[in-house]
Amino acid sequence: MDPAAYRCSLLAMQLADEWTEYVAATAITGNAHTYAQAIDRICQHVDLELGPEAERASLAAPGLFDTLVRWELSLPEGYAPGSTRPAMLASSVRVLIIRRDDHPGRMVAPDLARLARGTALINSGERTERDEFTREEKRAIVRAAWVSAHATRKRLDEGWALAAQGRHPVQGSWTSIPDLLWGLSREEITCGDVRFLPPPREWPPELLEFTAGPGNIPYSQSARSQLARRLFATLYPTTLDLHAFRVLLMDATGYTSEEVTGFGEAGVEFLPKGVRLTLRKNRAGLLRHRAFRDQAQTDVPAPQDDAAGQLAVDWPRRQASDVVRQLLELTARVRAQIPHITDTLFVSATVRPDYSTVFRPWFTEANGAGFGCWLDAMNVPVKGDRHIGRMRKSVKVEKAIVAEGRISEAADDHTEETFAGHYAQGTTLRILSGRTIATAQQHWFGKALDRVDGPTVVAGTGDDTKGTLEGSGLSAQEAEDIMTGQLDMGVSHCKNPYQSPYSRPGELCAVAPLRCLECRNAWILPTNLPQLLLFKDHLRRLRTLLTPQAFTRLWGQSWVNLNAVLEERTPEDLAQARKHIEAGQAVLHLPLAASTEFDA
């Protein structure tokens, strides 16, 4: 940015100086442009609001406090509701002001320093957490990574074998693939020399096919640059090639993209059965040494997802040691070209448009080199954001499944709060949680149904009824007492009134007949039907007097059980019972307390 482009050139220069030093000190890359945009936005605002007075605007001069407040409050106007961008811009300017205020030789107005260190004036917006890849997507990505890694190793092996068969193009031919590879591999020629090749129309068919692919013809204007890139890619790994190894390492270790691409050869120690890696997480300032053991081979095939959508974890797991060995071998020649780069194994080679060659650490920000481009090249369709961070979440989901939902085990490389905030919100874990909750609810609901205390309903008359009673676990004496009415409690018969669940053992039941329909000792015979109808009339009257909540609390279970008993009776039985009531042959005796209800 050019500070002189603004009226407030002094303010722009102060912020730009802090931005330049901050980027150099922190080595940030992805968010560096945010600071530049924030400086541009605030300078435009100051120029517009102060007019000619903006020339005297400075972080050290008083009077800029209100302008900065109005600028920060105006930021959300240009963005969609919930956007996080306004808060990021405001925070960027605050960071630069605080940095300048911390410097002993630089002045910042006290009110601006307090503003920068104070509470933000706008909210941070709403961040949408990325969802993990589905099990099918992750399986396809890992499978494509193995295919890609194998194809890369095969291409490079064949390329160096072909180079060994060639000779210097001056002695051989400038249109011979082995001769061109020989010269490039031994640095006898450069990719710039490819510019002086004959026109593509004079190339042999094998060189045309090598350049553009089987069945294709290269464009004459770009054929030479395309050939240079193809030759170099036959000898050295490209940026796209390394995506496969990042995927495989994330799948095998469960660690982040930053960590699996951030260790060098010195951070690798092979064990008798595994590998120990030194993993660095710059964002959290963590340096960890982790051993990844090779798991024993098994003849059991990996389980598949069944039709019902049940989740299965791939088994056996990929071996981290095998992936690291392949990566060391694959990048050895590139690392030999840049021995000063020791902090990563992810290095690649590329040919620039001017035919110059570059050996450098892995850089995926270039056009056509991102993770999405690799997915397209490998023909792997995924839904949603094509971001490598979703791969990390997929691995964490598997770990949570294996740990049977124990966060302490699933969050083994960060805090439990981080797991709950960033990984536990995924679709898969939500489905599993819902399934677990539903299963638990069904389990306890079933147990609750098994525990419900209610009457036993007996159908039939005469000897049939006595036989049913005895067959249900009652003694002959108990069955006889029920049949003769000696245990009649009003709306039902009782197996033993002195063993009531509502009273102390040995004491006569104190709640009969009001709670008989909720008691496991109650036995309802056909002769009880008139009293049941009268009891239903009593409860129906109470429903008109009590609130629904009070009635449900006091009489809800009795009402449900009573209706269930009556629904089993035929219309003829109910009509006959009504006749008994109308004739005065059936009377319901209730305690005095049943005549008064307190709606509390």
Side-chain angles (χ1 to χ4, degrees):
M1 61 174 295
D2 182 12
Y6 306 98
R7 288 180 180 176
C8 57
S9 57
L10 178 58
L11 173 65
M13 186 176 299
Q14 291 172 337
L15 293 173
D17 289 344
E18 297 299 331
W19 169 55
T20 303
E21 293 182 6
Y22 182 70
V23 171
T26 59
I28 60 173
T29 55
N31 290 330
H33 68 283
T34 302
Y35 290 85
Q37 184 183 7
I39 296 173
D40 179 69
R41 294 286 297 275
I42 193 172
C43 289
Q44 290 179 5
H45 181 85
V46 172
D47 281 357
L48 182 63
E49 183 169 311
L50 299 184
E53 298 295 327
E55 296 180 0
R56 293 193 294 270
S58 168
L59 294 177
L64 203 58
F65 178 87
D66 293 337
T67 302
L68 262 62
V69 169
R70 285 190 289 270
W71 170 75
E72 186 168 328
L73 292 175
S74 69
L75 285 174
E77 297 176 0
Y79 295 90
S83 173
T84 61
R85 194 67 182 173
M88 292 177 62
L89 295 173
S91 175
S92 298
V93 170
R94 286 172 176 253
V95 167
L96 298 180
I97 295 176
I98 292 173
R99 178 181 174 83
R100 188 171 186 84
D101 184 54
D102 288 339
H103 197 284
R106 302 169 186 172
M107 295 297 297
V108 175
D111 55 352
L112 291 184
R114 289 194 299 271
L115 173 65
R117 298 179 188 276
T119 305
L121 303 179
I122 56 179
N123 61 45
S124 59
E126 300 176 358
R127 294 181 179 271
T128 302
E129 289 290 339
R130 294 187 181 95
D131 204 357
E132 77 273 6
F133 291 118
T134 65
R135 288 290 303 131
E136 293 77 10
E137 290 173 343
K138 178 179 176 294
R139 185 181 294 109
I141 292 172
V142 173
R143 186 182 298 114
W146 280 114
V147 171
S148 175
H150 175 74
T152 300
R153 296 196 310 273
K154 181 180 178 182
R155 185 188 76 228
L156 299 187
D157 290 343
E158 292 177 350
W160 284 91
L162 200 59
Q165 302 173 12
R167 53 183 176 171
H168 199 291
V170 174
Q171 302 172 354
S173 172
W174 283 97
T175 59
S176 168
I177 298 174
D179 293 346
L180 292 173
L181 290 174
W182 184 95
L184 289 175
S185 65
R186 288 162 175 76
E187 300 182 5
E188 295 291 334
I189 65 172
T190 65
C191 287
D193 296 329
V194 177
R195 288 181 293 183
F196 305 108
L197 263 64
R201 62 177 178 273
E202 300 179 12
W203 291 4
E206 59 271 14
L207 187 59
L208 292 172
E209 183 176 343
F210 175 82
T211 302
N216 298 321
I217 299 177
Y219 293 106
S220 58
Q221 295 84 353
S222 60
R224 293 182 179 88
S225 62
Q226 190 175 356
L227 174 61
R229 291 193 299 271
R230 184 73 177 86
L231 289 169
F232 219 56
T234 306
L235 298 174
Y236 302 103
T238 65
T239 301
L240 278 181
D241 294 332
L242 297 180
H243 281 288
F245 291 90
R246 178 173 64 168
V247 168
L248 295 176
L249 280 176
M250 291 180 69
D251 180 51
T253 65
Y255 284 84
T256 64
S257 170
E258 177 187 14
E259 290 171 293
V260 300
T261 60
F263 62 86
E265 187 174 3
V268 177
E269 178 187 358
F270 287 104
L271 307 173
K273 293 184 179 180
V275 64
R276 181 181 288 111
L277 303 177
T278 299
L279 303 174
R280 182 182 299 276
K281 195 170 187 178
N282 294 327
R283 290 171 295 174
L286 297 176
L287 183 65
R288 292 178 286 212
H289 306 279
R290 294 291 184 267
F292 302 95
R293 305 291 178 180
D294 294 340
Q295 297 185 4
Q297 297 295 326
T298 176
D299 296 331
V300 179
Q304 301 294 325
D305 292 359
D306 60 24
Q310 297 292 331
L311 295 171
V313 181
D314 288 340
W315 193 267
R317 298 289 298 174
R318 279 79 183 180
Q319 311 293 3
S321 60
D322 184 36
V323 179
V324 172
R325 284 191 179 92
Q326 294 184 35
L327 185 60
L328 282 168
E329 180 181 351
L330 190 78
T331 61
R333 293 188 176 92
V334 179
R335 288 184 285 110
Q337 296 287 338
I338 45 176
H340 60 286
I341 302 297
T342 60
D343 59 348
T344 180
L345 297 180
F346 281 74
V347 291
S348 61
T350 187
V351 179
R352 289 175 173 170
D354 61 354
Y355 291 90
S356 62
T357 57
V358 179
F359 297 93
R360 64 183 181 186
W362 200 37
F363 181 70
T364 62
E365 302 298 327
N367 292 332
F371 181 62
C373 298
W374 178 80
L375 291 175
D376 292 336
M378 298 305 300
N379 195 27
V380 179
V382 297
K383 296 180 180 179
D385 189 10
R386 302 193 297 178
H387 193 278
I388 190 62
R390 298 178 64 192
M391 184 71 185
R392 155 80 163 172
K393 290 197 171 185
S394 297
V395 176
K396 295 297 290 184
V397 165
E398 287 186 355
K399 188 175 293 185
I401 296 171
V402 173
E404 298 180 349
R406 291 186 292 273
I407 293 182
S408 59
E409 295 187 23
D412 56 351
D413 59 337
H414 49 66
T415 64
E416 295 184 18
E417 290 77 7
T418 300
F419 181 89
H422 294 279
Y423 300 103
Q425 309 303 321
T427 299
T428 305
L429 288 184
R430 286 185 177 183
I431 292 174
L432 288 177
S433 298
R435 187 179 300 158
T436 301
I437 293 172
T439 301
Q441 288 177 336
Q442 187 62 37
H443 170 75
W444 290 111
F445 181 68
K447 284 189 170 294
L449 290 179
D450 293 339
R451 287 199 311 270
V452 167
D453 293 330
T456 302
V457 181
V458 179
T461 59
D463 295 337
D464 293 339
T465 302
K466 185 176 181 180
T468 302
L469 292 173
E470 293 180 1
S472 300
L474 295 179
S475 65
Q477 184 60 46
E478 290 173 336
E480 181 65 26
D481 291 342
I482 289 178
M483 290 295 296
T484 57
Q486 297 184 36
L487 298 178
D488 190 354
M489 304 301 291
V491 296
S492 69
H493 296 268
C494 185
K495 176 183 177 181
N496 190 343
Y498 294 93
Q499 292 294 330
S500 170
Y502 301 100
S503 301
R504 293 179 180 180
E507 294 183 1
L508 184 65
C509 180
V511 297
L514 299 179
R515 298 301 174 192
C516 288
L517 288 170
E518 302 177 27
C519 182
R520 59 177 176 268
N521 288 343
W523 291 75
I524 297 178
L525 274 60
T527 55
N528 295 123
L529 188 53
Q531 282 76 19
L532 292 175
L533 291 175
L534 292 172
F535 190 60
K536 182 176 183 180
D537 293 339
H538 172 71
L539 294 183
R540 188 182 290 113
R541 286 193 298 272
L542 293 180
R543 291 188 70 185
T544 64
L545 300 175
L546 302 175
T547 63
Q549 296 84 352
F551 180 82
T552 300
R553 185 178 69 253
L554 297 172
W555 299 104
Q557 191 63 59
S558 292
W559 180 257
V560 170
N561 292 354
L562 176 58
N563 286 319
V565 171
L566 295 178
E567 287 174 0
E568 297 180 1
R569 298 303 180 182
T570 64
E572 292 78 10
D573 292 339
L574 296 176
Q576 186 65 30
R578 286 294 180 188
K579 290 181 180 180
H580 281 278
I581 296 173
E582 294 171 0
Q585 300 176 3
V587 180
L588 179 64
H589 297 285
L590 297 177
L592 293 177
S595 301
T596 304
E597 294 291 344
F598 296 94
D599 186 4

